Amino acid sequence: MNPPVPNVLAELAGLLVKNAMPGVPEAERASDLGLSAALLGVAAEMWDRQAHILVEENRAVRALLGEPGEDADLRLSVLQAENDRLRGALVVAHAAAEATGDTARQDAIWAELVAATDRRRLSTAPV
Amino acid sequence: MAHPLEGRLAAYIAGRMPLATGVAVTDLERISGGASRETYRFRLAWTEGGEARQRKLILRRDPPASLIDTERRVEFEAYRAFRGSAVPVPEMLWLEEASEALDHPFFVAEEIAGFQASPQVLLSGAYDAVLPKIATRKWTILGEIAKADPAAAGLTSFMDAPPLDACWSRELDHWEALIDRDEAEPLPVTRAAIRWLRANPPPPAQKLSVVHGDYRTGNFLYDEAGDIHGVLDWEMCHLGDPLEDLGWSLQPIWSFGSGRVGGLCTEAEAVAAWEAASGLKADPTALKWWTLFNCVKGQGIWVGSAAAFNSGGNRAPIMIYPAWWLINAQERAMLKVMGKL
């Protein structure tokens, strides 16, 4: 999830302080607070599930790439860095499977990509 | 309390209205949204020929960093080109490309007041009876944009005119480069879509058209009778393949989860209205290419908004929301267009 949640929450905290002060034009206050509420709702939805999503996804991609290992450090920043590494390697593997015409491998990668977008899907997402 | 921009804006406008006295700006307030330009509405009052006058106007000012980096002159001239045509647009008044007057470049335009733009309001159920009428109007207007002659509209002086067989590569190169620059984490579906687009290019454009660049539900003003009174947000306007705009209007993100294109109708109904108005054909294979391309373009915008936030260039919440809400949804939209979902 990018921008990272901690950075966004820090920004929203500052924004709430600003909007608690007098003199902020009403339309700007309404816009800021409405968007802040929507973002807090997204952050709340991600809070409980994010580590699980990353661990599950990292495991699935490792299996596709034939890599051993498990996530030992469960901090979100560490899981995300490993996820970035693995998904970067998956992009390369997918392109290679297309270049060699390996349709079975392409199908396996597509299946994981569909599953990944399903895991990450927000309840309010338009697709 | 008066907005700090009011006095400066009044001074600027007074310099552009030599016959006016007592020029005053009041009720200036920022309109929500506006991730690529800061948009304000205000009331201009002045005296001319002994008569007191008032007008509701819009100020569009460049922000410190934008969701979409574009030239404001392109947007200004695009609006002007369609003024008085079958494509309803507000009147453009003044363009200022220097930063002295209001810290950033800006333009001032007529406010088309009293109408809605919000997709949420349109799709709330209250407008269900007029959605078919709005749909027909929406894609008829887009057909009119596609039909227009860019040279006759005076736009070839402000916009590059690519060869017909290079419209697709020019756009794909542009948006892929922005994704290369801005993506904060790997996007496997987006990368697969880009490879597919390059391996399966569309035929040359039928004609060189004006491409609005962001023609979707949310960027036009509608009323309760189902009429459309203004097409807005021309900041990504350029010249290219007429199917590009049609593909953007059909890309699944703009269904808003309704299952209908643009939240309004079936794809067949939208394409039929567009073809009838434009006199052009939407070849299904070419249209699939342009719809998928527009999914990639959307992703370029969403990752760009995250990059603008992360770099500190623009920390407004509007820069976060598209990235959080739409990056994964956009990959799902690509899967859908590619027949994988």
Side-chain angles (χ1 to χ4, degrees):
Chain A
M1 204 75 171
N2 204 278
V5 176
N7 300 5
V8 171
L9 294 182
E11 195 66 28
L12 294 185
L15 200 64
L16 292 176
V17 169
K18 182 190 124 187
N19 277 287
M21 304 297 283
V24 178
E26 284 307 313
E28 290 180 30
R29 193 198 309 271
S31 174
D32 280 351
L33 294 183
L35 274 167
S36 297
L39 290 169
L40 288 170
V42 175
E45 184 174 350
M46 291 190 299
W47 174 261
D48 186 46
R49 68 179 204 175
Q50 194 65 9
H52 178 75
I53 287 172
L54 290 170
V55 168
E56 190 174 348
E57 195 163 286
N58 290 352
R59 187 178 294 144
V61 178
R62 277 194 204 96
L64 276 171
L65 297 174
E67 281 194 21
E70 269 289 327
D71 293 302
D73 188 332
L74 298 180
R75 284 174 296 174
L76 286 174
S77 58
V78 177
L79 291 172
Q80 184 64 57
E82 176 67 351
N83 187 262
D84 289 351
R85 184 188 72 78
L86 288 167
R87 280 165 60 91
L90 189 64
V91 171
V92 175
H94 197 175
E98 289 170 2
T100 57
D102 186 343
T103 54
R105 185 150 175 76
Q106 289 175 53
D107 290 346
I109 292 172
W110 277 119
E112 164 50 24
L113 294 181
V114 170
T117 66
D118 203 38
R119 281 183 211 112
R120 293 168 175 232
R121 187 170 186 270
L122 294 169
S123 59
T124 58
V127 184
Chain B
M1 192 169 111
H3 194 288
L5 281 176
E6 288 182 357
R8 299 169 70 190
L9 182 57
Y12 173 85
I13 293 175
R16 264 95 198 134
M17 297 178 68
L19 302 179
T21 58
V23 174
V25 168
T26 57
D27 302 334
L28 187 138
E29 63 174 8
R30 189 164 176 182
I31 300 171
S32 65
S36 49
R37 301 263 192 273
E38 293 175 358
T39 306
Y40 303 81
R41 65 163 57 96
F42 64 96
R43 185 182 300 275
L44 181 71
W46 74 100
T47 300
E48 190 171 331
E51 185 183 340
R53 301 183 187 186
Q54 283 197 9
R55 196 169 186 194
K56 288 181 173 178
L57 300 177
I58 292 288
L59 166 68
R60 295 261 284 168
R61 184 173 73 149
D62 286 13
S66 168
L67 191 149
I68 305 159
D69 292 320
T70 57
E71 291 297 321
R72 77 282 321 156
R73 176 169 287 282
V74 165
E75 183 179 10
F76 188 85
E77 297 296 345
Y79 276 111
R80 287 225 300 209
F82 283 99
R83 180 75 178 157
S85 75
V87 180
V89 290
E91 181 188 6
M92 294 290 109
L93 296 174
W94 302 288
L95 170 69
E96 180 55 57
E97 295 181 281
S99 297
E100 286 75 17
L102 297 183
D103 302 326
H104 302 284
F106 63 92
F107 64 75
V108 175
E110 164 198 21
E111 180 185 9
I112 302 177
F115 304 110
Q116 291 278 357
S118 163
Q120 289 73 30
V121 172
L122 182 63
L123 305 179
S124 65
Y127 288 81
D128 282 359
V130 296
L131 291 185
K133 183 178 176 186
I134 290 181
T136 302
R137 274 291 284 152
K138 174 184 173 180
W139 277 284
T140 296
I141 292 170
L142 187 59
E144 293 286 350
I145 295 172
K147 189 168 70 177
D149 177 353
L155 290 176
T156 46
S157 305
F158 303 98
M159 301 175 188
D160 293 337
L164 296 181
D165 62 356
C167 292
W168 72 269
S169 56
R170 181 175 181 268
E171 291 304 309
L172 185 57
D173 289 351
H174 173 74
W175 289 100
E176 184 180 14
L178 290 183
I179 292 170
D180 290 344
R181 185 191 73 185
D182 290 337
E183 75 171 356
E185 54 192 43
L187 299 165
V189 177
T190 303
R191 294 298 177 180
I194 292 170
R195 291 194 302 274
W196 187 91
L197 290 166
R198 291 208 177 280
N200 301 277
Q206 301 163 72
K207 70 181 280 281
L208 191 67
S209 283
V210 179
V211 178
H212 176 283
D214 194 8
Y215 194 87
R216 62 174 176 84
T217 302
N219 278 342
F220 57 78
L221 297 167
Y222 57 88
D223 67 15
E224 292 175 354
D227 287 325
I228 292 178
H229 297 269
V231 176
L232 309 176
D233 289 331
W234 292 72
E235 62 259 43
M236 288 195 285
C237 184
H238 58 277
L239 305 183
D241 191 314
L243 291 181
E244 183 184 341
D245 259 344
L246 185 59
W248 180 250
S249 75
L250 299 178
Q251 81 120 321
I253 283 287
W254 305 128
S255 72
F256 301 95
S258 70
R260 303 180 298 272
V261 295
L264 299 172
C265 64
T266 67
E267 179 167 322
E269 290 166 338
V271 170
W274 182 87
E275 287 185 335
S278 67
L280 302 170
K281 286 290 168 198
D283 169 70
T285 305
L287 185 56
K288 177 185 174 181
W289 192 96
W290 282 104
T291 305
L292 184 61
F293 159 75
N294 276 298
C295 292
V296 170
K297 170 180 167 175
Q299 199 67 293
I301 297 171
W302 319 139
V303 300
S305 73
F309 178 88
N310 289 332
S311 70
N314 189 337
R315 305 288 279 187
I318 190 68
M319 307 305 286
I320 308 160
Y321 198 67
W324 276 14
W325 195 48
L326 293 179
I327 287 177
N328 186 61
Q330 193 64 81
E331 294 230 311
R332 289 178 66 81
M334 291 177 208
L335 291 170
K336 203 167 180 178
V337 175
M338 296 177 85
K340 307 287 186 188
L341 191 66

